[in-house]
Amino acid sequence: MPNIFIEENGRYRIDCSKAVWATDKMHDEYQRAGIHIKDVDFVIETEDYLILLEYKNANIQGAKKPHSFNPEEQKKYLSTTRKFYDSLHFLKLMNKAKPLHFIYVLEYPNGDMVTRKRLREKMKLELPFALQKNIGNGIELINKFDVVSIAEWNSDEEYGKYPLSTVDRI
């Protein structure tokens, strides 16, 4: 199916059939080029912006040590914010220059709206919002950032156009 991508664990899919353009091939291209930098899981292009989507689900069956996963641990969230920066190379080379929305879809044991909001505020400090305000002269590297659950992603008026759902097992 075109523009329907399966996440790395094979449990969830994202339907990007309504996107102007979408890919899950950034990692493959970086590997093929022999460079070992980080990348987001999916890029979705809408009429007005690009969504850089990072997906992490420690709630799935078979997840390794799900209760020890702590996304608020500095090492973990810095690794995730690095994916934003390292993905900019791919977008430049693909000539994709629309405003960027970096969205982290996160599911983990005991995760809730409060912990996601707290994580969002920590991660936002590591993204170039202050930098572009200080020296950007109106140029933006990032337009929006959020940390959401699958349910929040799916219920969002814009992002819900690209629903995340479980992969049907036959």
Side-chain angles (χ1 to χ4, degrees):
M1 288 185 237
N3 285 348
I4 295 179
F5 307 117
I6 308 294
E7 53 83 24
E8 66 187 354
N9 296 307
R11 303 292 173 93
Y12 279 81
R13 66 185 192 149
I14 184 165
D15 182 347
C16 298
S17 57
K18 292 182 181 175
V20 171
W21 173 83
T23 188
D24 66 346
K25 302 296 184 214
M26 189 182 307
H27 180 77
D28 295 342
E29 291 299 332
Y30 283 177
Q31 293 296 307
R32 197 164 67 99
I35 56 176
H36 299 33
I37 58 179
K38 296 185 177 288
D39 54 85
V40 295
D41 295 312
F42 308 102
V43 181
I44 304 166
E45 183 177 2
T46 74
E47 291 292 332
D48 300 318
Y49 53 87
L50 292 162
I51 302 166
L52 297 180
L53 177 59
E54 179 61 17
Y55 169 87
K56 176 69 175 171
N57 192 339
N59 278 342
I60 60 170
Q61 184 179 0
K64 294 180 182 174
K65 302 180 184 179
H67 290 287
S68 64
F69 175 70
N70 180 5
E72 291 187 77
E73 185 179 281
Q74 187 178 34
K75 183 178 178 181
K76 290 257 193 259
Y77 72 77
L78 289 178
S79 176
T80 302
T81 56
R82 173 78 186 269
K83 292 178 181 201
F84 168 81
Y85 291 103
D86 286 359
S87 296
L88 296 178
H89 309 295
F90 180 86
L91 296 176
K92 177 72 173 174
L93 293 170
M94 294 296 295
N95 199 29
K96 300 293 182 182
K98 292 180 178 178
L100 297 178
H101 294 196
F102 179 31
I103 309 297
Y104 186 17
V105 174
L106 178 64
E107 295 282 345
Y108 64 103
N110 303 317
D112 59 20
M113 191 181 300
V114 173
T115 58
R116 285 189 298 277
K117 182 178 180 181
R118 187 170 56 228
L119 178 61
R120 180 187 71 217
E121 296 310 310
K122 288 178 184 181
M123 291 177 71
K124 197 170 184 178
L125 294 173
E126 301 298 330
L127 292 165
F129 288 102
L131 180 66
Q132 67 194 24
K133 182 180 176 187
N134 293 344
I135 65 170
N137 294 323
I139 297 170
E140 289 186 327
L141 292 173
I142 187 170
N143 183 266
K144 181 179 180 178
F145 172 67
D146 209 350
V147 180
V148 299
S149 68
I150 292 171
E152 290 165 337
W153 169 271
N154 285 339
S155 67
D156 185 271
E157 185 177 327
E158 290 297 316
Y159 306 138
K161 294 174 184 174
Y162 318 102
L164 276 160
S165 59
T166 56
V167 172
D168 296 328
R169 302 278 181 193
I170 297 175

